[in-house]
Amino acid sequence: MNIEQLHKEVQYKAVASSGPGGQNVNKVATKVQLYFDVLSSLAFAKAEHERIITALNNQLTTEGILQVNCQESRSQAKNKELVFKKLLAVLSKASVIIKVRRKRTVPKSVKRKRLNDKKKQSDKKKDRNYRY
């Protein structure tokens, strides 16, 4: 993942934050929305690009754009930094190679031992229940 290329490809938009906050919320656009076109990005290797697209399929718009928001801080600059960090976290999580689960089989000797132990336990309890 080329972070410098990502900086060039993202687009920011500042909008008014929602929720309580009084005058600051009413007059200052501190919420930052980041738009990133995943489909036409050049910041990834081909295999990594395909993994990201499949992992983020549900979060992309119909045009293939990923939108990330941040309104945690009262400062627009701080929200801009935070939203880019969020984007990096989302992309790094999506680009991880999923480990393929291989089905394991239990050896026959282990199955046999388990069944023999169960049989011994059953016999032991059966012997206790003797009636005259």
Side-chain angles (χ1 to χ4, degrees):
M1 182 178 349
N2 187 353
I3 296 175
E4 293 174 10
Q5 184 67 28
L6 278 176
H7 272 295
K8 294 176 187 174
E9 293 179 357
V10 296
Q11 296 173 346
Y12 297 100
K13 182 180 178 185
V15 294
S17 295
S18 62
Q23 290 179 348
N24 192 62
V25 170
N26 295 336
K27 66 182 182 181
V28 181
T30 57
K31 178 179 178 180
V32 176
Q33 294 178 335
L34 180 141
Y35 297 97
F36 177 62
D37 190 359
V38 179
L39 297 179
S40 64
S41 176
L42 302 173
F44 311 109
K46 186 169 182 160
E48 189 178 29
H49 193 253
E50 291 172 1
R51 281 195 306 267
I52 288 172
I53 290 173
T54 55
L56 298 178
N57 193 21
N58 295 337
Q59 298 177 26
L60 299 177
T61 63
T62 53
E63 295 85 24
I65 295 174
L66 177 67
Q67 180 182 351
V68 185
N69 300 324
C70 183
Q71 61 180 8
E72 295 168 11
S73 174
R74 288 174 56 120
S75 166
Q76 189 182 102
K78 181 72 173 169
N79 281 337
K80 196 172 181 181
E81 292 174 20
L82 291 172
V83 78
F84 192 76
K85 286 181 183 177
K86 277 186 183 181
L87 174 73
L88 290 178
V90 167
L91 292 176
S92 62
K93 185 178 178 184
S95 64
V96 172
I97 299 171
I98 299 170
K99 189 175 179 181
V100 178
R101 184 186 180 278
R102 295 192 312 237
K103 186 177 178 183
R104 303 289 183 187
T105 57
V106 180
K108 288 184 179 181
S109 61
V110 174
K111 286 182 183 177
R112 207 174 316 119
K113 182 184 180 310
R114 182 178 54 84
L115 292 174
N116 284 338
D117 290 346
K118 285 176 72 171
K119 183 70 174 164
K120 283 181 187 177
Q121 187 71 11
S122 171
D123 290 341
K124 186 194 309 182
K125 291 192 172 205
K126 200 184 298 179
D127 289 343
R128 290 181 192 160
N129 198 12
Y130 181 75
R131 297 197 182 217
Y132 293 100

